[in-house]
Amino acid sequence: MYRPKLAQVVAVLLLLAVLSTAAMIHLIWQRAAGESIEEIVASLDTQTAGSVRNDLSQTLALVSSSAEIVRTILFQGAISPEDEVKREFLFLSLLREQPAIAWIGFGFPDGRFFGSHATADGRIEMVEIGAAQPGEHRPLRRDLYRPIPGDIFFEERIKAESAYVALGAPWFRLGKESAGSVWTVTNVLPNGFEPAIVLSKRVESFGTFTGVVMAAVSLRRLSEALQALDIPAESKAFVLDERGRVLATSQPSDGVMAAHFSDFPASDAIARAAAEAVTANGGDAFRVLAPSVALGPVFISSSRLPFENWRLIIATPRSTFAGGIDKNIRRIAIVVLAIAVLAAVTAVVVANFLFAQPLARLAVQLRAIERFALGSVCHHPTFLSELNDLSQALKRMSVGLSAFARYMPLDVVRPLVEGSIEPKPGGELCEVTVMFADLPGFTELTERLGPDVEPHLTRFLTIAVAAIHAEGGTVDKFIGDAVMAIWNAPGRQADHAARACRTAIAIRNAMHEEPTAAVGESAIRVRIGINSGTALIGNIGSAERLSYTAIGDTVNLASRLVNVAKERGVEIVLSDATARELGAEPMTRPLGLVTVRGKARPVGVHTIDQPKARSTGGSDGDGDHDGGDARVPAAQAFPC
């Protein structure tokens, strides 16, 4: 069955809409062309001013939040200002996350300075200015980095001298003297001449002044934002400070950024008209029609910006809109109105049949997908091929999402589908319990069985996943014959350590109930490592590929405790941190201290012994003997 293309139908409707709109506009402008032009210009100016306000407000909010993050971290002592590595990592991370910020720095009370700087060519440099004796230049170190996907690449280190003294900078002096945030406009920053607005905040630690945090936005970015505005090519926008200085403009004259209106060349008629209007109307908000010999009447509007009494000046020649209108008004024809009426009626009837009803049905399907009610999604045939294909695609999407949920934790998939979390790199530090479990002797088993090893691996992973889900855990990933799981993320669980231990016991018990893979197989059926602590949880990866996972020392230690289980001949090993989380009197047995690769100090570890089914004594599978005493099931030590 032939189905017309959506583009064909839309083209016809748009043509009819344009004709009808043109007829209506001509009829209206014939009686009140001047008033309409003023309304259009006023609307554009309002939209432009709103866009600039929003962009400036968002930028200032980002600057303020970034500076507050640094101040809070330094104030609470999470990172010392003297800790070079952590300080550099913090500043670099914030700078990369906030492209609008040109500088994030810290000035020390002795005049030293350290900061991260986003250069105009897209690189990042770490700038450190050291201390010096009076009258001497301060040592300067600049480390240049080039961003690459997911990381940065070190390029070179430059050592020199600098005459820049943070103590004398306005942002430092005002920030030191103020208890709150202080904004300043400056032309000189640690890297030389760079006009910018700077936010500074005083930092104290235990009542002692430790320095001033600064974050800066280059005025060059403000000019770029003005240049990106959707305003007519003949128009110009200017940002003025309270003293009338030109801080940014959408179109520099002859490629030069002027500091005052008087600095613009005489050939720039728009700038001259704007300067005369500002002089005549003062610093208040206004909208006037200023005369210009070269351009004719020019609309000049002035509005306040939400920062330090700044103003946005927009100048638009009237001829930009009136030239074509004045000609077209004389070409009005009655037939245009008739066509417009016919087109409007036709568009309403056809659009309702072709678009409104099918799109309403598709909206219902999309809401079902948003709720993750995938079973109610079905295909509704429509007349238009594109909408019909879209309905079929939604059905295929529902099937794909059902399969997708098998590859990621459902607690992560559902917010992604609902749109409540954004799929971009990022994470947060939180307390978690991490468990690694793998099959002992899997390599040898693979060599012996070849492809026939798959049922044994699948049976183990099925047991492990079922036990993890039963205790509310999240399966992070499969690593060969091992499975990694986390608790307390993404949902919060106060008893996350106990949940992990109950899971480990359940996996061990289930594996001991399974038939052995070969005659003479070891009594050790599984090796499990458990650790609790702080880890970075979230979407880790690049902008193109993400993985919801946990990273950090807590995860590394949990992984390495699996090898400790092998060395000690037990099946479950948990760290001191997990044992402390378990609370009062769990059924665990200390194994003493062990040396773990990557840890400077020995780590205290424990195990959970397997309960005895008979009181005949002997080995319990973990290499220990209890002399025949029956034990309470270990799972009872970790109540729900």
Side-chain angles (χ1 to χ4, degrees), residues 612-636:
K612 300 298 181 286
R614 300 179 302 275
S615 59
T616 57
S619 172
D620 63 0
D622 290 340
D624 294 316
H625 298 264
D626 63 358
D629 58 322
R631 300 188 182 184
V632 176
Q636 297 179 10

Side-chain angles (χ1 to χ4, degrees), residues 76 380 472 485 523 590:
Q76 294 181 348
H380 292 283

